């Protein structure tokens, strides 16, 4: 860190956090002046009755077909429903996919097509204006923290693209840990590892933002302390509260930039015919990246080891945690074929998250990290 660098520090979304927060939806919609909301959710959350319980008797239009990784086709389908029903705002109820898809709708329902023009890699950040439709985000997992984030990951033409703008922050977030009580163990562990990865990668990012680093450390402390309890006993309210807080903190902090784990998880998550879970990908990629970053940030890694109580290197500690959580031991176990690795490495090098990795990573570095992560 240098005192000569300019820091950008942004905390915008008003968040109501705690058991019962989702019951504030009606009040919040009135406050925002939204009378005809489009509710964006996924088939699982709808089938479990969670979304209907949150919406209660409010009059809404439903889009409940969010795919596991949001695609442009799904965004356009939901946007059509938004237009036909004359909607004036969006309520996203679900995991990161539903919230990201909602951000895509909020954007393209109010801006000229095509969606791809607004991707960060295409210079889209400047094109996204205050016209973006207002969104109330209600997470049902504790992982992405997308409810307080300014980014959406959407698969456009086989590439997972990052859409980023301060205008994409949801207008309000209602974080209700009660909605996560019945999340199955595997999803609890995988999404929780996403939250932990956000905190770890952000803390190690070289950009200057001390408040973000303080939030990241608190998130690491909560996630590592509670993830096993939340996974083994889903109805532990204290564990669920802390994991949701770690998730929200992860997204509050990651404006400071992510790193090599996310740079590889993004192209891997876009592999056709292989719907790989983002959090699980992060989990299996973490040990190799933490070891790779060690020489570039020895003091920060020492601090992290202290926070989690690791004896040896942090990569090995994380690998142990992943095994205890019952997550896959590597990319090979997730079904990733070795022949895609060179292409993934090339895409990882181009991913915006690469720029803020603690240690500069080349395409060759990425190939090595990926090979190592096949079985870590
Ligand atoms: Zn993530």
């Amino acid at each position: 860190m240098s005192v000569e660098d300019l820091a950008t520090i942004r905390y915008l979304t008003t968040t109501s956090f705690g058991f019962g927060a989702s019951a504030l939806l009606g009040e919040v919609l009135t406050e925002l002046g939204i009378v005809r909301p489009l509710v964006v959710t996924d088939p699982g959350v709808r089938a479990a009755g969670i979304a209907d319980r949150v919406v209660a008797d409010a009059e809404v239009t439903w889009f409940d077909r969010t795919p596991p990784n949001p695609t442009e086709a799904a965004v356009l389908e939901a946007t059509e429903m938004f237009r036909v029903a004359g909607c004036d705002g969006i309520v996203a109820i679900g995991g990161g996919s539903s919230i990201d898809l909602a951000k895509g709708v909020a954007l393209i329902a109010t801006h000229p097509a095509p969606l791809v023009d607004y991707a960060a890699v295409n210079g889209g950040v400047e094109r996204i204006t205050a016209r973006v439709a207002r969104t109330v985000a209600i997470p049902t997992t504790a992982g992405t923290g997308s409810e307080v984030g300014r980014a959406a990951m959407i698969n456009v033409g086989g590439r997972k693209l990052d859409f980023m703008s301060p205008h994409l922050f949801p207008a309000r977030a209602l974080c209700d840990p009660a909605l996560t009580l019945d999340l199955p163990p595997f999803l609890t562990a995988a999404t929780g590892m996403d939250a932990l990865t956000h905190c770890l990668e952000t803390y190690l990012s070289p950009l200057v933002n001390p408040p973000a680093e303080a939030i990241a450390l608190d998130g690491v402390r909560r996630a590592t302390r509670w993830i096993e309890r939340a996974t083994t006993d889903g109805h532990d309210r204290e564990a669920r509260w802390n994991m949701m807080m770690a998730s929200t903190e992860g997204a509050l902090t990651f404006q400071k930039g992510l790193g090599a784990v996310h740079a590889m998880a993004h192209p891997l998550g876009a592999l056709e015919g292989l719907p790989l879970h983002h959090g699980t990908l992060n989990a299996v990629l973490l040990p190799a990246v933490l070891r790779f970053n060690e020489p570039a940030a020895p003091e920060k890694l020492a601090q992290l080891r202290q926070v989690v109580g690791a004896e040896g290197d942090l990569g090995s500690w994380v690998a142990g945690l992943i095994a205890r959580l019952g997550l896959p031991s590597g990319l090979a176990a997730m079904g990733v074929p070795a022949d895609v690795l060179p292409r993934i490495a090339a895409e990882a090098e181009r991913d915006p998250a690469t720029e803020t990795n603690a240690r500069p990573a080349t395409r060759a570095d990425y190939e090595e990290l990926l090979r190592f992560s096949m079985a870590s």
Side-chain angles (χ1 to χ4, degrees):
M1 167 188 146
S2 153
V3 290
E4 305 304 324
D5 291 335
L6 200 65
T8 304
I9 301 168
R10 242 187 206 124
Y11 294 107
L12 291 179
T13 307
T14 303
T15 303
S16 304
F17 192 105
F19 283 92
S22 59
L24 299 175
L25 178 61
E27 213 173 285
V28 165
L29 289 175
T30 307
E31 208 179 285
L32 294 172
I34 297 174
V35 291
R36 283 186 301 278
L38 176 76
V39 174
V40 173
T41 187
D42 68 54
V45 168
R46 186 89 201 261
I50 298 172
D52 289 84
R53 251 193 335 266
V54 170
V55 167
D57 49 4
E59 211 164 292
V60 303
T61 302
W62 287 94
F63 177 80
D64 57 9
R65 289 191 293 279
T66 301
N69 287 305
T71 58
E72 179 182 31
V75 169
L76 297 182
E77 196 190 326
T79 303
E80 187 55 26
M81 294 179 78
F82 181 97
R83 289 209 178 106
V84 168
C87 294
D88 56 358
I90 301 171
V91 176
I93 307 172
S97 299
S98 293
I99 299 175
D100 281 9
L101 189 134
K103 289 177 183 175
V105 177
L107 164 62
I108 208 62
T110 51
H111 289 63
L115 184 64
V116 72
D117 282 357
Y118 302 93
V121 283
N122 297 331
V125 178
E126 308 298 319
R127 295 192 195 111
I128 301 175
T129 70
R131 290 197 311 278
V132 171
R134 282 164 312 165
T135 298
V136 179
I138 307 176
T140 59
T141 63
T144 70
S146 188
E147 68 277 4
V148 292
R150 61 175 170 159
M153 297 297 307
I154 298 165
N155 187 325
V156 182
R159 274 186 78 194
K160 224 172 167 182
L161 297 179
D162 203 353
F163 296 78
M164 217 163 30
S165 161
H167 301 298
L168 289 179
F169 280 112
R172 289 289 300 267
L174 303 176
C175 297
D176 187 345
L179 305 185
T180 67
L181 290 174
D182 290 316
L183 199 65
F186 182 82
L187 269 180
T188 300
T191 50
M193 285 305 295
D194 188 26
L196 175 59
T197 307
H198 294 155
C199 294
L200 289 172
E201 291 215 279
T202 296
Y203 183 64
L204 293 169
S205 140
L207 298 193
V208 179
N209 190 333
E213 285 186 10
I215 292 171
L217 273 186
D218 192 67
V220 169
R221 191 173 292 120
R222 284 179 205 282
T224 52
R225 171 149 184 220
W226 294 99
I227 191 169
E228 289 177 77
R229 179 92 73 90
T231 302
T232 53
D233 179 9
H235 280 240
D236 186 314
R237 290 167 71 89
E238 199 177 359
R240 290 299 193 184
W241 191 99
N242 277 286
M243 287 311 294
M244 186 161 263
M245 184 53 85
S247 164
T248 301
E249 288 181 321
L252 287 176
T253 185
F254 75 47
Q255 56 176 278
K256 183 172 172 268
L258 293 165
V261 174
H262 274 78
M264 292 185 282
H266 292 153
L268 283 166
L271 278 176
E272 213 153 322
L274 207 63
L276 302 172
H277 189 271
H278 173 70
T280 316
L281 283 169
N282 286 337
V284 306
L285 293 164
L286 249 182
V289 172
L290 289 171
R291 289 186 195 115
F292 174 80
N293 284 338
E294 179 85 47
E299 284 169 23
K300 282 183 174 173
L301 276 151
Q303 168 85 61
L304 288 170
R305 277 197 297 276
Q306 204 187 340
V307 166
V308 308
E311 306 271 321
D313 79 285
L314 193 63
S316 305
W317 188 88
V318 168
L321 176 65
I322 294 166
R324 292 198 298 280
L325 290 170
L327 290 170
S329 57
L331 294 172
M334 294 175 74
V336 176
D339 62 351
V340 302
L341 300 185
R343 178 163 64 86
I344 299 294
E347 287 182 40
E349 192 190 20
R350 286 201 306 269
D351 192 278
T354 286
E355 289 161 31
T356 44
N357 192 56
R359 176 176 163 192
T362 64
R363 187 177 165 165
D365 291 328
Y366 276 121
E367 264 202 71
E368 212 177 300
L369 288 167
L370 286 161
R371 287 200 194 288
F372 188 85
S373 304
M374 286 297 272
S376 55

